[in-house]
Amino acid sequence: MPMSADALRAHLVEAFPDADIAIEDLAGDGDHYRARIVSEAFRGLPRVRQHQLVYAALKGGMGGELHALALETSVPTEAA
């Protein structure tokens, strides 16, 4: 069963409570999303580590319930 946008958002909000999060269902199938996450939690981290934190927040859902996730991560000053 695909992951709903609400479930995806809930995982991200739990891991990054300060974040500004935008989610877009790219294919309308609940299986391919784009997520833009702006959070202080990413400050000072390389992009690869930022994305690893997001994948960890999904608690194993990536590759199972969630097939594809295009990520855009940044800290608030980078997003402005």
Side-chain angles (χ1 to χ4, degrees), residues 48-70:
V48 169
R49 182 66 186 129
Q50 293 174 16
H51 290 196
Q52 288 171 337
L53 291 175
V54 173
Y55 294 138
L58 299 178
K59 302 176 182 171
M62 192 69 216
E65 296 175 76
L66 184 58
H67 176 72
L69 179 63

Side-chain angles (χ1 to χ4, degrees), residues 2-66:
M3 182 180 291
S4 70
D6 289 338
L8 175 56
R9 179 177 300 283
H11 285 300
L12 296 174
V13 168
E14 180 182 355
F16 309 103
D18 73 318
D20 176 21
I21 300 169
I23 296 173
E24 178 184 357
D25 187 341
L26 297 174
D29 61 2
D31 212 21
H32 298 79
Y33 292 101
R34 176 186 340 264
R36 181 174 181 267
I37 307 161
V38 181
S39 173
E40 281 295 331
F42 301 136
R43 187 167 302 282
L45 299 177
R47 189 85 55 211
V48 169
R49 182 66 186 129
Q50 293 174 16
H51 290 196
Q52 288 171 337
L53 291 175
V54 173
Y55 294 138
L58 299 178
K59 302 176 182 171
M62 192 69 216
E65 296 175 76
L66 184 58

